[in-house]
Amino acid sequence: MGTSPRLPIGVDTGMPRRDHARHLAPGSTVILHTDGVTEHPDRPIDQTVARLAAHASLPLQELLKALADHHPGDGHDAMALLAVRTPPPRDAHHANDSGTHEADPAA
């Protein structure tokens, strides 16, 4: 989000936190995770994040599974993942038999 790193959530609950807002384009994915998903003492974090980002186009549940299955750690660090994907662009919808539109599950 282009901000300086802050104290991790929950470390000091008395410390004020800033709110952030960001417009997300249709089809965007936001992933919140703990460091157990991306950090390994023997690998640069940028390399690990790039490797995990290769899974970004997967459907959301498959993406979460891939991130959990391909994390760089050795199982000693806790992992938590939360992902949200905005609805796809309107042209990614298709008409069903009743003439109404529904999201394409493959999108």
Side-chain angles (χ1 to χ4, degrees), residues 50-96:
R51 197 178 99 241
L52 294 172
H55 303 287
S57 63
L58 292 172
L60 200 55
Q61 289 197 340
E62 289 179 38
L63 170 61
L64 289 171
K65 183 171 178 5
L67 294 176
D69 289 348
H70 300 285
H71 67 88
D74 57 7
H76 288 93
D77 199 356
M79 291 190 317
L81 287 159
L82 173 66
V84 177
R85 184 168 287 157
T86 59
R90 291 186 70 72
D91 61 334
H93 288 64
H94 63 278
N96 64 21

Side-chain angles (χ1 to χ4, degrees), residues 1-9 15-18 20 39 45:
M1 291 192 67
T3 64
S4 299
R6 303 274 189 244
L7 195 62
I9 294 173
M15 186 174 194
R17 299 202 63 85
R18 294 183 181 174
H20 297 280
E39 292 183 3
I45 193 166

